[in-house]
Each structure stands twice: as C-alpha cells, then as structure tokens.
Amino acid sequence: MEEDKVLPKHVGIIMDGNGRWAKKRGLKRSFGHKAGADNLEKLLKHIFNIGIKYVSVYAFSTENLKRSKEEVDYLMDLFVKYFTKKKKIFVSEELKVIFSGSKENLRNDVLAGIKEIEEATKDLKKGTFNICLNYGGRKELCDTVKKICEKVMNDEIKIEDINEDLITHNLYQDLPDLDFVIRTSGEMRISNFMLWQSSYAEYYFPETLFPDFDSKEFDKALLEYQKRNRRFGGVQ
Ligand code: FPP
C-alpha cells in the first residue's frame, strides 16, 4: 500500500460468496457464513488500523428474508452471538458500532443485541462500523421520505428546506458518502446497497469469495482505488 496516497474515508463491503465458499468444500452454507464472520473480524481490524474511519457492511438485505427459514435463523443466531461476544473487542479497539436497516420483522433477541452494542460503543471515536442488517436502499429512501414529511407536518422544517444535505442527515445513519464499494465473489451488482450514499463511489469487484477476502486482498483493492481518477462529474 502506498501510504502517501489518499485513503477512502468510507468503505462499503458487500460480503458475497459465503455460500459458494462452503459448497466448494462440501459444507453446508452456514459454515460459509461462520467463516465470513471470522474473516470480517480480522479484516475490520486491518482496515481501521490503516486509518480508514468508516466501514459499512451488507450483512443482511431485506430480500435475504426470502431465504430458507433454516438459513435465516442461522444468520440471526450468528448476529446475536457476534454482537454479544465481540462487544468487548469493539470497545477495546475504540470502534463505534451502528446499524442501518428496518427494525420490522427482526427477532427480539437481535433487536436487543443491536441496542446493547450500540449503547456500549456510542462514545468511541477511532472509527465507525455500520452494519446494514435487514437493509434495503430503496426502503431506506422511503423511510427517509416519511421522516421528512413528518417533520414538515410538525412544522419543524419547510418544504423549501428539503435539499441533498437534509436527506443525507435523515437517512438511517448520518454518514459521509461512500468513497469505495467492494463486492466480493465476482458478482457485479449493487443489490440495493446504500444507493444514496454510493452516488459517486468507486466500485471494485474481486473474484475472491468473502471468507477468503483477507487483509492482503484488501490492500490490493486499495491500490486499485488509489489509481482511480475521481472526477465527481467534473473535468480534471
Ligand atoms: C452473502 O453471501 C452473504 C450474506 C447474505 C451474509 C453475510 C453475513 C456474514 C458475512 C456474516 C457476518 C456478519 C456479521 C455482521 C456478523 P451468500 O450466502 O449469498 O453467498 P453465495 O452467493 O455464494 O450463495
């Protein structure tokens, strides 16, 4: 990694390929998710140590609820375990953990786990880890429109006040725009991930399956990011 080159402030990761990783080894899909969770822990450590301030991951989309009950249950159990067991690590690494997504249709133990880890890490400042869980980009925009309409109806704001900044501040979380989005496993789609926040993001689609996307792979991705010429619609 070239240290003097600019780092992305906010990186998004669509963690794809857990199922295929397991299948390649003759294992059940759940083993792939467990391997993905183990990899995520190491990867986050690396990314925040480099000095990147914000990381958003796509852990579970609103569409993922259509998967088998067995897989959805497994993933929810995994999330609860992860939030409970890793809370101490996030605290010691000084990372603030936040969530983006809808609370509808989520199990009570998942909601309790979210609340607990958010509360325990809310004042931490080294970096922010945003977990998109039960998340859909279009749903986020619908929920934001509703939130803004309520503010207009309650005379907190006027229609004329609605602009891009106001929308950004009223999303599930008020985060800087995504600079760089990585989707592992060779799939080249964004699948409803942080649509508003990724308007000017650079994309990177490595073939590597998420459980194998380690710190070396991340550094390779970063080098690619640093070669890109970001023009934000202008001329340079
Ligand atoms: C997509 O791969 C992955 C998911 C739907 C789950 C992502 C979850 C984790 C990596 C677990 C850890 C996350 C946290 C926050 C603890 P896929 O199963 O669709 O893979 P496939 O396309 O190969 O079937």
Side-chain angles (χ1 to χ4, degrees):
M1 197 192 46
E2 294 177 52
E3 301 286 350
D4 57 332
K5 287 271 194 149
V6 82
L7 282 176
K9 187 170 185 183
H10 187 181
V11 174
I13 307 176
I14 304 176
M15 307 180 289
D16 200 5
N18 293 345
R20 275 164 284 166
W21 184 93
K23 197 173 169 201
K24 261 172 62 181
R25 290 162 177 77
L27 300 169
K28 281 171 71 173
R29 296 177 58 79
S30 53
F31 284 88
H33 294 314
K34 169 76 176 66
D38 292 342
N39 182 48
L40 178 62
E41 185 178 340
K42 287 184 240 149
L43 194 58
L44 283 176
K45 204 173 164 116
H46 177 67
I47 297 176
F48 285 112
N49 279 341
I50 292 175
I52 290 170
K53 292 290 175 202
Y54 295 86
V55 177
S56 290
V57 296
Y58 210 177
F60 194 87
S61 72
T62 42
E63 292 76 21
N64 287 153
L65 274 175
K66 291 184 215 144
R67 294 190 177 194
S68 72
K69 180 169 171 358
E70 185 192 358
E71 184 169 353
V72 173
D73 283 348
Y74 179 85
L75 277 168
M76 293 301 151
D77 289 344
L78 182 68
F79 296 144
V80 174
K81 265 192 234 148
Y82 188 87
F83 304 154
T84 320
K85 283 204 186 151
K86 310 295 175 198
K87 196 170 65 191
K88 262 198 251 154
I89 299 178
F90 287 114
V91 171
S92 69
E93 303 271 330
E94 293 179 64
L95 297 174
K96 178 173 172 172
V97 183
I98 57 173
F99 290 83
S100 293
S102 167
K103 302 276 186 280
E104 292 159 27
N105 306 315
L106 277 185
R107 281 173 10 192
N108 283 339
D109 58 343
V110 178
L111 292 172
I114 289 177
K115 210 170 153 190
E116 214 175 288
I117 198 164
E118 277 190 330
E119 183 58 33
T121 62
K122 68 179 189 318
D123 298 319
L124 305 177
K125 302 248 174 343
K126 180 175 168 192
T128 299
F129 175 41
N130 174 42
I131 304 176
C132 295
L133 203 165
N134 202 20
Y135 176 88
R138 288 185 171 187
K139 172 127 179 73
E140 175 169 40
L141 292 177
C142 290
D143 288 345
T144 302
V145 170
K146 286 185 202 156
K147 198 162 145 190
I148 292 175
C149 286
E150 274 168 22
K151 291 188 180 178
V152 171
M153 286 188 325
N154 295 333
D155 284 330
E156 287 168 46
I157 54 168
K158 297 195 191 66
I159 288 205
E160 302 77 66
D161 297 332
I162 300 175
N163 57 26
E164 293 187 16
D165 281 344
L166 184 103
I167 292 175
T168 299
H169 298 320
N170 281 279
L171 295 168
Y172 291 137
Q173 299 290 348
D174 189 356
L175 292 166
D177 278 352
L178 279 161
D179 299 298
F180 191 35
V181 175
I182 299 167
R183 181 177 189 146
T184 55
S185 88
E187 303 288 341
M188 290 188 223
R189 290 185 294 277
I190 58 168
S191 301
N192 213 4
F193 178 67
M194 301 186 86
L195 301 177
W196 180 271
Q197 300 88 336
S198 61
S199 297
Y200 286 99
E202 295 293 330
Y203 280 91
Y204 181 72
F205 299 105
E207 292 289 328
T208 317
L209 305 173
F210 184 70
D212 293 328
F213 190 80
D214 57 11
S215 50
K216 264 198 187 148
E217 291 276 338
F218 185 83
D219 288 349
K220 219 161 85 184
L222 204 52
L223 276 178
E224 172 64 30
Y225 171 83
Q226 291 173 333
K227 281 189 213 146
R228 305 267 176 101
N229 179 13
R230 301 186 76 201
R231 292 191 297 277
F232 299 95
V235 184
Q236 268 173 33

